[in-house]
Amino acid sequence: MSKKKDIMDATLALIHEEGLQSVTFSKLFKRAGVGSGTIYNYFANKEELVNAVYKDARMLMGEYLLRDFDPQASLYERFKRLQLNRLNFGIDFPMEFLFIDSYSFSPYISSELRNMDDARNSGEVILSLIVEGQKQGIIKEMDSHLCHQLIHGIISSILKGLYIEKYPMNETQVQQVLEASWKAILV
Amino acid sequence: MSKKKDIMDATLALIHEEGLQSVTFSKLFKRAGVGSGTIYNYFANKEELVNAVYKDARMLMGEYLLRDFDPQASLYERFKRLQLNRLNFGIDFPMEFLFIDSYSFSPYISSELRNMDDARNSGEVILSLIVEGQKQGIIKEMDSHLCHQLIHGIISSILKGLYIEKYPMNETQVQQVLEASWKAILV
Amino acid sequence: MSKKKDIMDATLALIHEEGLQSVTFSKLFKRAGVGSGTIYNYFANKEELVNAVYKDARMLMGEYLLRDFDPQASLYERFKRLQLNRLNFGIDFPMEFLFIDSYSFSPYISSELRNMDDARNSGEVILSLIVEGQKQGIIKEMDSHLCHQLIHGIISSILKGLYIEKYPMNETQVQQVLEASWKAILV
Amino acid sequence: MSKKKDIMDATLALIHEEGLQSVTFSKLFKRAGVGSGTIYNYFANKEELVNAVYKDARMLMGEYLLRDFDPQASLYERFKRLQLNRLNFGIDFPMEFLFIDSYSFSPYISSELRNMDDARNSGEVILSLIVEGQKQGIIKEMDSHLCHQLIHGIISSILKGLYIEKYPMNETQVQQVLEASWKAILV
DNA sequence: TATGAATGAGTTTTCATTCAT
DNA sequence: TATGAATGAAAACTCATTCAT
């Protein structure tokens, strides 16, 4: 099991450092510290390996997005929790976040995987929250997917700026981002 | 010059269709309708070709972003113009937009190019507009780069949802997006 | 190890038959009976391969030159032994001899390798012998390197004539050549 | 005519600097300062060009070898003249000398050219001189081609040592070399 | 399971040669 | 004659995958 983990970790790190297109098996073997044949005990081929790494990242993110999510909390509290979780996921797991963000639409990732439900179906949770807010007249009427994409996009973009150290990110900035994304969709 | 253009067009189209990692030279030659050696009259290698395509796309976008931009217009009008131009660029040039968005942070693109100033320095224009708005007490006080990233990210994200046909995009939606991005950064 | 040897043997043979400039990898693979990628497990590129072959040839020659060399023998005996060994090396290993002779000054061979000491430093042995003979008043006073080059050149030249069958080479001729090279440098 | 000369000069210089196997047409065109198609007005292909350069070098050498050769002079004088001319040719025309020496047996050079008579048939002159010396009992009895090869080889070898600056070469050394080659073949 | 030498299909790259101007 | 962009066959090289140990 350890070898499998080593291989997957090395894969993610190399994709992060050099991009999927320049991850070769020989780099991978050296990085993971395994023999070149070992991978085939775990993965039928390179595509399967990359998809497995992708799936793990998606599962981890799905788990993370609903941490400390309290369905009983106020709409605003729930919204902030979801947005904060997404932001924190990106901060804590930059490699996973960027891999998902960059390659979700790559032909390398199978479409079933791309469209998979997250661990606890966080996608649905967010959409319902949006619809609920619109019913209450708090959130502006618009296509719920558009709205979802909008608030999701803010977090993604902010994270990418953060990764290249365009700006600092401490409690102040975090609150500014959360508020901005909330205000963006209010009526 | 025509052959060079053919090669660059084919490159962009193939990257769009199959992703950078699966763009091979033989696909490229067939698509561009040139002989296999021709590319080396213009580009020393694949990386140089891709970087040239990237540079052209960036120049085109830089040009586009300041179309019909009236420095005398109101802050809100100028803001909307910039956001609308970005959105329209993405709608009119999906291949260019996605290429820039996907590969700007890829190690394949040289860092000089990634950090290049746009044609008419649209980046500076947006930043000044933000600072101006903050001085006037209209735009919320925050790191101007953070603010820039935020409104930029909304457009990018919306475009990516549009490309996979998550939602329609007509005049109504366009206005919703522009308003959302404006509200996001108001005090 | 065997594959590496096969590749190096095939390289030497091909260089001998067709010259360095017409040794292509596909000829090499067929000749060596290995797959086309195998060479890259041992040599990073063609230049490295050729240099390795050169180094081996030089080591073999260095070994050969001091065969049966008796430091206690008379000056003349030692001289004849060295010259005979060089001649016999060229007769027994024509490919190695010609490769060394032809490419030692080619830009293809790295200068470190060109200037490498032979296995048992036969170069030094010959130079000391010359100096010793000069001290004893037997060998004519002249630059010892010039003297070395002179007697070396006689053997090389004779071998090249032999290879194209310009003349026979049996015991009589061998003795004539050894004597000629000895007389050339006497006072 | 000037373009043709430019091309041939550039060819010889490049062969000297980098070896025949790395002389490409594009290097050649840049060096000669002509367009890439121009060569085909003068030479059908690369091989013909190289052979033309070889032929010119051989003609030049043939001419040079018999300079100031006086058929009436003493055997020793005639011998020294021939050897001195060869040595001086190598000193004055190192590129030509090395090209001839290195590539005479390359498959690139046509065999007719390789076996061509020198301008004034210097080969025959030397052979007759040897035979004459042997008849007079001055030069040792041996195969005349072997003898020729022997004295020729001394000069070649000395020149190659000179090119890599193994030793100086002024009047003293020149005389030493001529004497050595004479003594080598005396009875 | 784990290994890594060997493989060869596929990809990149070179470069002599052609040809329209 | 002179040019140099275009060519494509051939050469160099890569790298995922196999397989004997």
Side-chain angles (χ1 to χ4, degrees):
Chain A
M1 189 59 195
S2 165
K3 292 274 173 186
K4 186 175 182 183
K5 186 74 166 38
D6 291 348
I7 292 165
M8 292 177 75
D9 287 351
T11 303
L12 183 62
L14 278 172
I15 290 173
H16 186 242
E17 287 165 21
E18 312 192 32
L20 181 52
Q21 83 280 358
S22 78
V23 174
T24 66
F25 270 34
S26 71
K27 286 177 188 171
L28 206 46
F29 301 139
K30 276 165 204 149
R31 180 70 162 255
V34 302
S36 67
T38 305
I39 188 176
Y40 293 95
N41 295 325
Y42 301 105
F43 307 98
N45 52 44
K46 194 175 168 180
E47 196 163 340
E48 206 171 89
L49 163 61
V50 172
N51 277 274
V53 173
Y54 178 81
K55 189 177 180 184
D56 269 19
R58 281 285 297 268
M59 305 251 287
L60 181 65
M61 183 174 73
E63 200 62 50
Y64 214 99
L65 289 180
L66 291 181
R67 280 201 182 175
D68 302 322
F69 181 76
D70 176 6
Q72 313 303 331
S74 74
L75 195 75
Y76 177 59
E77 287 303 319
R78 279 179 282 150
F79 175 87
K80 284 223 298 188
R81 169 54 56 198
L82 291 170
Q83 290 288 83
L84 182 63
N85 280 351
R86 185 177 294 275
L87 189 59
N88 279 333
F89 176 72
I91 291 170
D92 293 345
F93 297 98
M95 295 193 302
E96 282 82 355
F97 175 83
L98 271 179
F99 177 42
I100 292 171
D101 192 84
S102 304
Y103 295 104
S104 280
F105 297 95
S106 147
Y108 224 83
I109 302 297
S110 77
S111 55
E112 303 127 55
L113 219 42
R114 163 167 45 257
N115 300 322
M116 86 191 213
D117 284 333
D118 281 325
R120 292 156 59 198
N121 215 348
S122 61
E124 269 311 309
V125 172
I126 298 169
L127 280 175
S128 335
L129 189 146
I130 290 168
V131 171
E132 182 188 336
Q134 291 175 325
K135 278 193 187 136
Q136 296 181 17
I138 300 172
I139 295 176
K140 191 171 167 72
E141 280 298 332
M142 64 178 101
D143 186 297
S144 61
H145 290 98
L146 180 75
C147 186
H148 181 192
Q149 191 78 2
L150 210 152
I151 59 178
H152 181 152
I154 288 177
I155 304 297
S156 295
S157 184
I158 290 304
L159 283 167
K160 284 191 242 177
L162 177 63
Y163 296 148
I164 59 170
E165 301 179 339
K166 258 186 155 174
Y167 34 75
M169 177 69 51
N170 51 42
E171 190 50 33
T172 313
Q173 280 80 36
V174 168
Q175 289 310 320
Q176 286 169 349
V177 169
L178 297 188
E179 275 166 41
S181 66
W182 175 246
K183 284 191 295 178
I185 60 172
L186 291 187
V187 286
Chain B
M1 190 59 194
S2 166
K3 291 278 173 184
K4 188 177 181 182
K5 186 76 168 37
D6 291 348
I7 291 165
M8 292 176 74
D9 288 350
T11 304
L12 183 61
L14 278 172
I15 290 173
H16 186 242
E17 287 165 22
E18 313 192 32
L20 182 51
Q21 81 278 359
S22 77
V23 174
T24 66
F25 274 34
S26 66
K27 287 176 188 170
L28 207 45
F29 300 138
K30 277 164 203 151
R31 181 72 162 253
V34 301
S36 67
T38 304
I39 186 175
Y40 293 97
N41 295 330
Y42 298 106
F43 308 98
N45 51 47
K46 196 170 160 183
E47 193 163 341
E48 208 172 87
L49 163 62
V50 172
N51 276 271
V53 173
Y54 178 81
K55 189 177 180 183
D56 269 21
R58 282 284 297 268
M59 305 250 287
L60 181 65
M61 183 174 72
E63 202 61 52
Y64 211 101
L65 289 180
L66 291 181
R67 281 201 179 173
D68 302 321
F69 181 76
D70 176 7
Q72 314 301 332
S74 74
L75 194 78
Y76 177 60
E77 286 303 320
R78 280 179 283 150
F79 175 88
K80 284 222 300 188
R81 168 54 57 197
L82 291 170
Q83 290 289 84
L84 182 62
N85 279 351
R86 185 177 295 275
L87 190 60
N88 279 334
F89 176 74
I91 290 169
D92 292 347
F93 298 98
M95 295 193 302
E96 281 83 355
F97 175 83
L98 269 179
F99 177 43
I100 292 172
D101 192 82
S102 303
Y103 294 104
S104 279
F105 299 96
S106 146
Y108 220 83
I109 301 297
S110 79
S111 55
E112 303 127 58
L113 219 44
R114 165 170 38 258
N115 300 321
M116 84 191 217
D117 283 334
D118 280 326
R120 292 158 60 199
N121 215 349
S122 61
E124 269 311 308
V125 172
I126 298 170
L127 281 175
S128 335
L129 189 145
I130 290 168
V131 171
E132 183 188 336
Q134 290 175 327
K135 276 193 189 134
Q136 296 181 17
I138 298 172
I139 295 177
K140 190 170 168 71
E141 282 297 332
M142 64 177 102
D143 186 298
S144 61
H145 289 98
L146 181 75
C147 186
H148 181 190
Q149 191 78 5
L150 210 151
I151 59 179
H152 180 151
I154 288 176
I155 304 296
S156 296
S157 184
I158 290 303
L159 283 167
K160 283 191 256 180
L162 177 62
Y163 296 147
I164 58 169
E165 302 180 333
K166 256 186 154 174
Y167 35 77
M169 176 71 47
N170 51 43
E171 191 51 33
T172 313
Q173 280 80 36
V174 168
Q175 290 309 322
Q176 286 169 349
V177 169
L178 296 188
E179 274 165 42
S181 65
W182 176 246
K183 285 189 295 176
I185 60 172
L186 292 186
V187 286
Chain C
M1 190 60 197
S2 166
K3 292 278 174 183
K4 186 176 183 182
K5 186 74 166 37
D6 291 349
I7 291 165
M8 293 177 75
D9 288 350
T11 304
L12 184 61
L14 278 171
I15 290 174
H16 186 242
E17 287 165 21
E18 313 192 33
L20 183 51
Q21 80 279 359
S22 77
V23 174
T24 66
F25 274 33
S26 67
K27 286 177 189 172
L28 207 45
F29 300 139
K30 278 165 203 153
R31 181 70 162 255
V34 301
S36 67
T38 303
I39 187 176
Y40 294 98
N41 295 329
Y42 299 106
F43 308 98
N45 51 47
K46 196 169 159 183
E47 193 162 342
E48 208 172 86
L49 163 61
V50 171
N51 276 272
V53 172
Y54 178 81
K55 189 177 181 183
D56 268 20
R58 282 283 297 268
M59 305 251 287
L60 180 66
M61 183 174 73
E63 201 61 52
Y64 212 100
L65 289 179
L66 291 182
R67 281 204 180 171
D68 304 320
F69 181 77
D70 176 7
Q72 313 301 332
S74 74
L75 195 75
Y76 177 61
E77 287 302 320
R78 279 179 284 150
F79 175 88
K80 284 221 300 188
R81 168 53 56 197
L82 290 171
Q83 290 288 85
L84 182 62
N85 280 350
R86 186 177 295 275
L87 190 60
N88 279 334
F89 175 73
I91 291 169
D92 293 346
F93 298 98
M95 295 193 302
E96 281 82 356
F97 175 83
L98 269 179
F99 177 45
I100 292 171
D101 192 84
S102 304
Y103 294 105
S104 279
F105 299 95
S106 148
Y108 219 84
I109 301 297
S110 79
S111 57
E112 304 127 55
L113 219 44
R114 163 168 43 258
N115 299 322
M116 85 190 216
D117 284 333
D118 280 325
R120 291 158 60 198
N121 215 348
S122 62
E124 269 310 309
V125 172
I126 298 169
L127 280 174
S128 337
L129 189 146
I130 291 168
V131 172
E132 183 188 335
Q134 291 176 326
K135 277 195 188 131
Q136 295 181 17
I138 299 172
I139 294 176
K140 190 171 169 71
E141 281 298 330
M142 66 177 100
D143 186 298
S144 60
H145 290 97
L146 181 75
C147 186
H148 181 190
Q149 191 79 2
L150 211 151
I151 58 178
H152 180 153
I154 289 176
I155 304 296
S156 295
S157 185
I158 290 304
L159 283 167
K160 283 191 256 181
L162 177 61
Y163 296 147
I164 57 170
E165 301 179 338
K166 256 185 154 174
Y167 35 76
M169 177 70 50
N170 52 42
E171 191 50 34
T172 312
Q173 280 79 35
V174 168
Q175 290 309 320
Q176 286 169 348
V177 169
L178 296 188
E179 275 166 41
S181 65
W182 176 247
K183 284 190 295 175
I185 61 173
L186 291 186
V187 287
Chain D
M1 189 57 194
S2 163
K3 293 274 175 187
K4 186 176 183 182
K5 185 75 167 39
D6 290 348
I7 292 165
M8 292 177 75
D9 287 350
T11 303
L12 184 61
L14 278 172
I15 290 173
H16 186 242
E17 286 165 22
E18 312 193 31
L20 181 52
Q21 81 281 355
S22 77
V23 174
T24 66
F25 270 34
S26 71
K27 287 177 187 172
L28 206 46
F29 301 137
K30 276 165 203 150
R31 181 69 163 254
V34 301
S36 66
T38 304
I39 187 175
Y40 293 96
N41 294 325
Y42 301 106
F43 307 98
N45 53 44
K46 193 175 169 181
E47 195 162 341
E48 206 172 89
L49 162 62
V50 172
N51 277 274
V53 173
Y54 178 81
K55 189 176 180 185
D56 269 20
R58 281 285 296 268
M59 305 251 288
L60 180 66
M61 183 174 73
E63 199 63 49
Y64 213 100
L65 289 179
L66 292 181
R67 279 201 182 174
D68 303 322
F69 182 77
D70 176 7
Q72 314 302 331
S74 74
L75 194 77
Y76 177 60
E77 287 303 319
R78 281 178 283 149
F79 174 88
K80 283 223 299 189
R81 169 54 55 197
L82 291 170
Q83 289 287 85
L84 182 62
N85 280 352
R86 184 177 295 274
L87 189 60
N88 279 333
F89 176 72
I91 289 170
D92 293 346
F93 298 97
M95 295 193 302
E96 281 83 355
F97 174 83
L98 271 179
F99 177 43
I100 292 170
D101 192 84
S102 304
Y103 295 105
S104 281
F105 297 95
S106 147
Y108 224 82
I109 302 297
S110 78
S111 55
E112 303 126 56
L113 219 44
R114 164 169 43 257
N115 299 321
M116 87 192 215
D117 284 334
D118 281 326
R120 292 156 61 199
N121 213 347
S122 62
E124 268 311 309
V125 172
I126 298 170
L127 280 175
S128 333
L129 188 146
I130 290 168
V131 172
E132 181 188 337
Q134 290 175 327
K135 276 190 188 137
Q136 296 181 17
I138 298 172
I139 294 177
K140 190 169 169 73
E141 281 297 334
M142 64 177 104
D143 185 299
S144 61
H145 290 97
L146 181 75
C147 186
H148 180 191
Q149 191 78 2
L150 210 153
I151 59 178
H152 180 152
I154 287 177
I155 304 296
S156 296
S157 183
I158 290 304
L159 283 167
K160 285 192 242 175
L162 177 62
Y163 296 147
I164 57 169
E165 302 179 335
K166 256 186 156 174
Y167 35 75
M169 177 69 49
N170 52 42
E171 190 51 33
T172 313
Q173 280 80 37
V174 168
Q175 290 309 320
Q176 286 168 351
V177 169
L178 297 188
E179 275 167 41
S181 66
W182 176 247
K183 284 191 296 178
I185 60 173
L186 292 187
V187 288

